């Protein structure tokens, strides 16, 4: 629940702000999309710096339009700004044209609300959403005039913290971050800010504060851990500096997801962003157990929001934002127990007001198409399904519980209901993949296409898009021990597919194999990669998630000068007994369970969903003293 | 449908809202205000709103015009107070009035616009020097600028006929330049173009860039400023 702001929303007009704003007005007319840097959006919270003790900057290491689409930002922004003693402002990675102008005019990186330099904040909090944004963290710290290395930052600089999914293997970025938060942030952020406020009051040194902070569950302070490597360069272990520091850092998880703070007055951008709509998170966690999926492991257990809570939050969002589209977000929205009733109630209440619904992550089955049909009473777009692999054999290996019948039934229904375009997501380079699986992708795409023709979709308008990404082994998954397919092999498979998936109405897209390679290196990397990041940043690497900026040659050069081999990281096959660089991070699920899942994968045996009452024994509930919560069930909180 | 004419200011951070984004911002503001915005029919309905001449991104507007249609008849004072409390920082409502549905579109009505530009001076400048520079600039029979055509080819264009007035003043280390220019689908002159042409000739000792404001829009049949 969101408490509304108890403080008075003043207009930001400190002396510093005015000074900075004048300078900004000199450069904003010269850059692309200046609305990215102007602030002043609806629901932006501008507090008076003189009346607030703790100043926190939420730093998103990508451009405004991407960062403003991120629900986590809005959640934490709401929570911190509802504290009378604290404020949170936003900062995004300036596009290079802006960065150039800022350097030219000596304007340090500033937060949007007060236009104050990042340096003036007590805490700068980065979110780690994808590995390819790591270089932008260095880019932003540098623009802010903050020393990059944690060890080189004296007391006068802000505390630099980070959280988000990539914090589950924090080592590659550990040199630059003072403190990581592992797991869900809603509750721990308050505990952490209390500790920072206490530290300020008691005049604790940075070191003393960090020592205190590790007492909070979910807090990882890399400087309090030592990393050991073998003589052959193998990773040996991460070890706490002394006995007062926990050997493993247990993730944080919100017990009462239904009642936890949710932003119903989010900042509404004045310029178009990637996800430009209201978002309600209807459930958190997914227990389908896809073996490649990190989100499915680290966000366990499943917790659903009650129907009444969703309806109330929707009402507040509509009133507070003025958006005309509401998205029910989660890892798998068709799994939300009361999804049909909720969709119906939302449409009954809001369709007349011109609000449409969207369900971004649907299963590939008839049920989901029926849902989508219900939802799209107002507007139409394309439907997306993610079979992930081309054959049933490989789908069993990855435990993707979608059958060919499901997918074809869904696609056929979609075309009959009037959709003209279907998107199919696949992955290549999955463990055990053969040419047969690639042929399966082609075959499925063509069958979907022919279903469209049969359904009478006009030839010129019928479109089946096949989007192919490359498998990246991630920490804390059943495939964490698996190598990535070699770069050349990925290239070959892409070429193989583009030779086959070629017909009128068929479109094939694939991701840059080089970017997936670097992603794989960092996804399973260790602390030594900090040197590579430093070097890559010096060489100009930034915005690596953007094809126009990603530069594989520069990355390879960075590895070379750091004396490290990226292939060793990406292609390494680990044994179950090998120490892993992320072993000290405890996501609640047991390594034994992951190993069992890996074995079952190799044998092609699927594992059920714990929603159905069939416990696969991931170990989470016992480890974190928590249970799955489905909407409408008895709750014990 | 019920049409309302809105006069508003676009200042502060709102100066950086592009013309394309402005429609969305107004739509969302009206929806937050609880106003029954009228929409076009079809798969992708959009709000029935039109704006007078687009304002360049970064230029402030002191009295901009928009027409908005509502599905119900609501007192303009009520529209104004509801909308005023729902706009993002820098968009300020000045006036809301009814306007007949049959009235000509705003776009067609706008004929001229008044502007002012302001900058710091790097070295002192006397008013008379500035006035002389403006006089000699305006005395030219033609003021040719280059415009990028649709195909990317550069095209020469004479903006002199579209300049109705231009003046300047200096106050300590601040210089101000004002102008009244042709606005609309034909003969339009952009303030930036005029300033660029003028500065190229006069080489004023400016410190930094001029900050620009459109101070008003003049409609067909209205008094000339």
């Amino acid at each position: 629940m969101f408490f509304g702001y108890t403080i008075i929303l003043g207009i930001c007009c400190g002396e510093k702000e005015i000074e900075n704003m004048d300078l900004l007005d000199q450069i904003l007319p010269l850059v692309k999309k200046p609305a990215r840097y102007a602030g002043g959006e609806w629901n932006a919270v501008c507090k008076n710096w003189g009346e607030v003790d703790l100043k926190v900057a939420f730093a998103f290491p990508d451009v405004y339009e991407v960062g403003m689409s991120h629900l986590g930002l809005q959640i934490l922004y709401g929570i911190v700004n509802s504290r009378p003693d604290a404020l949170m402002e936003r900062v995004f990675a300036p596009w290079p044209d802006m960065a150039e102008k800022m350097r030219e005019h000596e304007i340090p990186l500033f937060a949007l609300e007060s236009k104050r330099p990042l340096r003036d904040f007590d805490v700068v909090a980065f979110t780690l959403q994808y590995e390819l944004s790591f270089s932008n963290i260095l880019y932003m710290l540098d623009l802010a005039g903050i020393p990059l290395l944690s060890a080189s930052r004296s007391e006068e600089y802000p505390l630099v913290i980070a959280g988000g999914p990539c914090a589950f293997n924090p080592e590659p970025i550990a040199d630059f971050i003072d403190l990581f938060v592992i797991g869900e942030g809603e509750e721990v952020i308050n505990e952490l800010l209390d500790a920072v406020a206490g530290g300020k009051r008691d005049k604790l040194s940075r070191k003393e504060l960090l020592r205190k902070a590790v007492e909070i569950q979910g807090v990882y302070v890399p400087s309090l851990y030592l990393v050991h490597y073998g003589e052959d360069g193998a990773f040996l272990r991460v070890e706490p500096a002394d006995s007062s520091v926990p050997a493993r850092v247990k993730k944080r998880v919100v017990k009462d997801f239904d009642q936890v703070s949710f932003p119903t007055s989010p900042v509404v951008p004045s310029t178009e962003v990637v996800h430009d709509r209201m978002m309600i998170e209807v459930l958190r966690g997914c227990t389908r157990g896809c073996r490649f999926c990190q989100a499915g492991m680290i966000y366990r257990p499943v917790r659903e929001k009650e129907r009444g809570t969703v309806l109330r939050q929707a009402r507040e969002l509509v009133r507070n934002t003025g958006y005309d589209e509401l998205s029910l977000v989660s890892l798998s929205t068709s799994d939300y127990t009361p999804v049909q009733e909720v969709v119906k109630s939302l449409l009954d209440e809001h369709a007349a007001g011109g609000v449409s619904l969207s369900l971004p992550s649907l299963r590939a089955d008839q049920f989901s198409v029926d849902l989508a049909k219900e939802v799209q009473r107002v507007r139409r777009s394309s439907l997306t399904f993610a079979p992930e692999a081309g054959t049933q054999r490989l789908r069993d290996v990855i435990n993707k519980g979608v059958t060919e019948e499901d997918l074809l039934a869904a696609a056929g229904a979609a075309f009959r209901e009037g959709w003209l375009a279907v998107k199919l997501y696949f992955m290549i380079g999955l463990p055990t993949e053969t040419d047969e699986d690639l042929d399966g992708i082609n075959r499925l795409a063509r069958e979907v296409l022919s279903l469209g023709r049969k359904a009478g979709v006009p030839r010129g308008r019928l479109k089946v898009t096949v989007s192919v990404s490359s498998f990246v082994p991630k920490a804390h998954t059943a495939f964490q021990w698996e190598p990535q397919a070699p770069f050349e092999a990925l290239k070959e498979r892409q070429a193989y597919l583009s030779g086959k998936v070629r017909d009128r109405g068929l479109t094939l897209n694939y991701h840059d194999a080089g970017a997936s390679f670097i992603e794989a290196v960092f996804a399973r990397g260790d602390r030594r990669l900090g040197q590579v990041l430093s070097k890559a940043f010096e060489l100009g690497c930034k915005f690596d998630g953007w094809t126009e900026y990603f530069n594989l040659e520069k990355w390879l050069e960075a590895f070379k000068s750091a004396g490290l081999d990226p292939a060793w990281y990406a292609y390494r096959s680990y044994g179950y007994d090998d120490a892993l660089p992320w072993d000290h991070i405890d996501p609640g699920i047991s390594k034994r369970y992951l190993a069992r899942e890996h074995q079952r994968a190799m044998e092609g045996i699927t594992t059920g969903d714990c929603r159905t009452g069939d416990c696969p024994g991931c170990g989470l509930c016992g480890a974190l003293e928590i249970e799955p919560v489905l909407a409408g069930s008895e709750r014990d909180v | 449908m019920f049409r309302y004419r809105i006069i508003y200011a676009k200042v502060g951070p709102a100066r950086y809202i592009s013309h394309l984004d402005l429609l969305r911002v107004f739509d969302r503001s009206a929806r937050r205000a609880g106003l029954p915005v009228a929409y076009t029919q079809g798969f992708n309905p959009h709000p029935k709103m039109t704006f007078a001449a687009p304002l360049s991104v970064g230029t402030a507007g002191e009295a901009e015009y928009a027409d908005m249609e509502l599905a119900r008849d609501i007192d303009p004072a009520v529209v104004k107070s509801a909308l005023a409390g729902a706009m993002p920082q820098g968009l300020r409502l000045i006036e809301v009035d009814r306007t007949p549905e049959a009235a000509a579109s705003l776009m067609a009505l706008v004929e001229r616009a008044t502007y002012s530009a302001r900058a710091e001076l790097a070295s002192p400048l006397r008013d008379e020097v500035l006035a002389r520079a403006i006089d000699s600039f305006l005395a030219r029979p033609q003021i040719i600028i280059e415009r990028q055509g649709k195909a990317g080819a550069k095209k020469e264009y004479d903006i002199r006929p579209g300049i109705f007035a231009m003046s300047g003043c200096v106050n300590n280390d601040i210089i101000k330049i004002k102008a009244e220019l042709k606005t609309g689908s034909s003969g339009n002159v952009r303030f930036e173009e005029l300033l660029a042409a003028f500065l190229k000739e006069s080489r004023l000792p400016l410190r930094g860039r001029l900050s620009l404001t459109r101070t008003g829009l003049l409609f067909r049949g209205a008094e000339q400023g």
Side-chain angles (χ1 to χ4, degrees):
Chain A
M1 128 114 215
F2 194 63
F3 294 102
Y5 302 115
T6 48
I7 35 84
I8 295 155
L9 304 184
I11 289 169
C12 313
C13 59
E15 216 168 273
K16 240 175 181 164
E17 191 243 345
I18 287 174
E19 205 176 278
N20 230 346
M21 198 61 219
D22 270 359
L23 249 182
L24 266 181
D25 285 336
Q26 291 290 310
I27 62 172
L28 286 186
L30 302 172
V31 301
K32 277 179 274 176
K33 303 191 182 182
R36 287 166 169 168
Y37 317 104
E41 309 96 315
W42 182 253
N43 284 336
V45 181
C46 296
K47 292 198 188 185
N48 185 334
W49 273 53
E51 291 166 8
V52 171
D53 185 35
L54 279 178
K55 288 95 179 176
V56 186
F58 187 105
F60 198 102
D62 208 322
V63 75
Y64 178 88
E65 296 93 304
V66 175
M68 283 304 292
S69 305
H70 176 54
L71 184 57
L73 182 164
Q74 304 272 15
I75 289 175
L76 294 177
Y77 191 80
I79 290 173
V80 175
N81 282 322
S82 70
R83 283 173 72 119
D85 67 336
L87 62 79
M88 181 178 264
E89 304 192 4
R90 296 160 297 145
V91 59
F92 304 90
W95 200 247
D97 67 330
M98 176 66 172
E100 191 188 307
K101 292 284 169 219
M102 287 166 66
R103 289 203 168 102
E104 196 181 307
H105 288 81
E106 295 175 347
I107 301 175
L109 187 60
F110 56 90
L112 295 191
E113 281 78 358
S114 66
K115 307 291 184 296
R116 286 184 185 248
L118 238 49
R119 269 197 315 259
D120 290 359
F121 286 77
D122 297 300
V123 179
V124 173
F126 282 96
T127 182
L128 311 174
Q129 294 296 311
Y130 26 87
E131 291 83 357
L132 292 178
S133 68
F134 287 176
S135 58
N136 267 14
I137 293 177
L138 278 63
Y139 168 76
M140 288 174 79
L141 287 174
D142 180 63
L143 274 172
I146 296 174
L148 304 186
L149 291 170
S150 175
S152 328
R153 288 194 288 265
S154 52
E155 305 276 332
E156 75 214 66
Y157 291 105
L159 184 72
V160 178
I161 70 173
C166 294
F168 279 82
N169 178 20
E171 292 306 298
I173 190 94
D175 286 351
F176 313 95
I177 304 291
D178 302 325
L179 178 158
F180 290 92
V181 170
I182 314 296
E184 296 169 351
E186 284 103 331
E187 292 163 349
V188 65
I189 184 78
N190 277 323
E191 295 162 33
L192 185 61
L193 290 186
D194 288 344
V196 175
K200 257 185 122 168
R201 199 180 44 235
D202 302 340
K203 306 222 169 359
L204 296 187
S205 70
R206 177 65 45 87
K207 266 204 171 124
E208 289 166 322
L209 171 65
L210 290 172
R211 281 251 163 210
K212 249 194 136 55
V214 290
E215 293 168 14
I216 302 169
Q217 189 197 323
V219 167
Y220 171 56
V221 174
S223 59
L224 296 178
Y225 292 77
L226 305 168
V227 193
H228 299 280
Y229 305 96
E231 275 176 21
D232 58 348
F235 168 84
L236 291 181
R237 64 189 181 278
V238 174
E239 192 178 66
D242 62 59
S243 59
S244 68
V245 180
R248 295 191 80 204
V249 179
K250 207 178 257 192
K251 81 161 181 184
R252 289 301 294 259
V253 56
V254 168
K255 254 193 184 127
D256 193 354
F257 174 67
D258 184 63
Q259 289 300 309
V260 77
S261 177
F262 188 79
T264 54
S265 290
V267 180
V268 181
S270 298
T271 184
E272 194 171 11
V273 298
V274 179
H275 297 299
D276 208 6
R277 53 188 77 97
M278 298 174 270
M279 286 185 266
I280 296 185
E281 193 184 9
V282 291
L283 78 133
R284 192 171 287 176
C286 172
T287 42
R288 298 201 147 247
C290 296
R291 287 167 180 144
F292 56 83
C293 179
Q294 189 188 42
M297 295 297 135
I298 62 178
Y299 290 113
R300 289 182 176 214
V302 161
R303 286 143 294 157
E304 295 186 338
K305 217 172 251 180
E306 290 298 331
R307 180 172 173 265
T309 311
V310 173
L311 298 183
R312 180 174 51 75
Q313 290 176 350
R315 214 166 290 142
E316 290 175 19
L317 275 167
V318 168
R319 193 177 56 227
N320 295 339
T321 65
Y323 277 119
D324 62 0
E325 187 179 349
L326 168 65
S327 187
L328 301 183
V329 300
S330 73
L331 292 168
S332 177
T333 299
S334 17
D335 287 343
Y336 178 47
T337 308
V339 67
Q340 278 174 308
E341 299 97 283
V342 165
V343 161
K344 191 176 177 306
S345 306
L346 287 172
L347 287 170
D348 288 347
E349 189 171 339
H350 300 290
V355 174
S356 66
L357 282 186
S358 67
L359 307 175
S361 8
L362 290 180
R363 261 185 343 240
D365 59 17
Q366 176 78 45
F367 174 80
S368 300
V369 176
D370 291 344
L371 256 187
K373 187 173 101 191
E374 185 74 13
V375 158
Q376 305 234 337
R377 266 194 245 162
V378 190
R379 261 165 242 185
R380 306 230 148 198
S381 58
S382 74
L383 269 190
T384 302
F385 302 116
E388 307 290 3
T391 60
Q392 194 59 48
R393 184 202 65 79
L394 190 52
R395 282 194 297 274
D396 287 348
V397 167
I398 65 176
N399 204 41
K400 183 84 193 181
V402 175
T403 63
E404 188 158 330
E405 296 83 80
D406 285 340
L407 173 69
L408 296 180
F415 288 127
R416 280 193 303 279
E417 294 300 340
W419 272 278
L420 306 169
V422 164
K423 275 188 207 155
L424 301 174
Y425 282 7
F426 291 99
M427 238 185 258
I428 56 167
L430 284 163
T432 78
E433 182 182 70
T434 65
D435 280 356
E436 213 171 294
D437 302 301
L438 299 181
D439 293 337
I441 294 176
N442 180 38
R443 197 176 45 76
L444 273 182
R446 285 171 185 281
E447 282 193 41
V448 169
L449 188 70
S450 81
L451 285 173
R453 287 188 188 138
K454 263 183 226 156
V457 181
R459 268 193 171 242
R461 303 184 68 188
L462 175 63
K463 202 172 161 196
V464 175
T465 305
V466 176
S467 192
V468 177
S469 63
S470 300
F471 165 68
V472 175
K474 296 271 162 131
H476 307 292
T477 66
F479 288 164
Q480 64 181 350
W481 295 282
E482 285 286 327
Q484 185 178 45
F487 176 72
E488 295 74 23
L490 289 176
K491 286 285 226 194
E492 273 167 33
R493 288 176 213 190
Q494 289 175 346
Y496 183 80
L497 280 176
S498 43
K500 298 214 159 192
V501 186
R502 184 175 279 188
D503 205 343
R504 187 182 165 139
L506 274 184
T507 310
L508 176 74
N509 303 321
Y510 44 79
H511 291 197
D512 185 309
S516 300
F517 174 59
I518 298 300
E519 184 186 337
V521 172
F522 281 94
R524 297 196 305 165
D526 57 41
R527 209 178 279 192
R528 287 173 293 195
L529 292 183
Q531 301 159 49
V532 179
L533 267 173
S534 289
K535 195 70 207 166
F537 167 72
E538 282 168 31
L539 291 170
C541 290
K542 56 179 171 282
F543 285 101
D544 290 302
W546 296 75
T547 43
E548 60 262 57
Y549 282 101
F550 178 74
N551 186 326
L552 184 61
E553 285 67 41
K554 279 188 189 162
W555 276 104
L556 296 179
E557 195 184 328
F559 278 100
K560 204 168 190 179
S561 71
L564 291 166
D565 178 13
W568 186 82
Y569 286 96
Y571 305 151
R572 179 129 191 236
S573 190
Y574 283 103
Y576 296 144
D577 295 329
D578 287 340
L580 303 172
W582 51 92
D583 274 344
H584 58 301
I585 303 297
D586 180 6
I589 50 171
S590 73
K591 206 171 172 183
R592 228 181 23 238
Y593 158 75
L594 293 178
R596 199 162 60 232
E597 277 300 295
H598 181 259
Q599 279 162 351
R600 288 168 75 93
M602 293 307 122
E603 292 161 22
I605 304 171
T606 59
T607 299
D609 187 337
C610 76
R611 271 172 179 278
T612 58
D614 195 8
C615 172
C618 74
L620 180 107
C621 295
L624 297 177
E625 295 171 16
I626 194 166
E627 276 183 11
V629 182
L630 302 187
S633 59
E634 294 275 311
R635 44 182 61 240
D636 172 32
V637 278
Chain B
M1 295 304 141
F2 304 88
R3 198 194 276 187
Y4 297 82
R5 181 148 298 171
I6 298 167
I7 308 178
Y8 64 97
K10 186 172 179 275
V11 298
R15 273 173 306 167
Y16 299 105
I17 300 174
S18 71
H19 189 65
L20 209 64
D21 287 332
L22 196 59
L23 178 74
R24 207 179 354 250
V25 168
F26 263 83
D27 179 35
R28 285 176 190 163
S29 301
R31 296 172 65 91
R32 286 192 291 263
L35 297 173
V37 181
Y39 290 88
T40 58
Q41 301 294 310
F43 267 152
N44 277 305
H46 54 266
K48 291 190 171 174
M49 274 178 214
T50 53
F51 294 87
L55 194 56
S56 304
V57 174
T59 300
E62 285 178 350
E64 295 293 304
Y65 286 71
D67 278 358
M68 177 169 74
E69 283 187 30
L70 298 180
R72 278 202 318 273
D73 187 15
I74 295 176
D75 184 79
V78 175
V79 174
K80 185 185 171 188
S81 67
L83 198 55
M87 305 277 260
Q89 202 187 329
L91 285 176
R92 292 182 201 145
L93 284 194
I94 295 166
E95 218 174 293
V96 176
D97 268 318
R98 282 181 220 276
T99 187
E101 254 194 277
S105 84
L106 274 172
M107 292 271 214
L109 282 174
V110 179
E111 203 167 58
R112 298 180 182 191
T114 55
Y115 294 90
S116 92
R118 178 185 179 281
E120 264 181 73
L121 284 168
S123 59
L125 179 73
R126 281 184 304 135
D127 263 331
E128 308 88 77
V129 177
L130 178 60
R132 260 203 314 276
I134 291 175
D135 284 346
S136 81
F137 180 65
L138 291 180
R140 284 157 59 176
Q142 281 192 321
I143 299 173
I144 304 294
I145 55 126
E146 270 191 351
R147 276 185 189 163
Q148 202 91 16
K150 267 185 193 140
K154 284 190 175 154
K155 227 178 108 183
E156 293 201 328
Y157 189 85
D158 180 15
I159 60 171
R160 183 61 190 88
I163 306 171
F164 302 115
M166 185 174 172
S167 63
C169 66
V170 174
N171 193 346
N172 295 322
D173 58 346
I174 300 291
I175 176 174
K176 271 188 186 165
I177 298 171
K178 291 182 177 178
E180 184 177 321
L181 305 175
K182 179 87 177 75
T183 299
S185 52
S186 72
N188 185 66
V189 176
R190 299 177 58 206
F191 192 36
E192 297 93 309
E193 290 174 333
L194 167 81
L195 292 171
F198 175 61
L199 292 176
K200 198 166 128 195
E201 185 180 276
S202 61
R203 291 165 208 269
L204 298 175
L206 299 188
R207 184 200 303 278
R209 292 173 52 80
L210 286 157
S211 83
L212 314 185
T213 303
R214 180 151 77 189
T215 47
L217 291 168
L218 303 175
F219 292 89
R220 192 156 296 153
E223 292 282 305
Q224 285 179 19

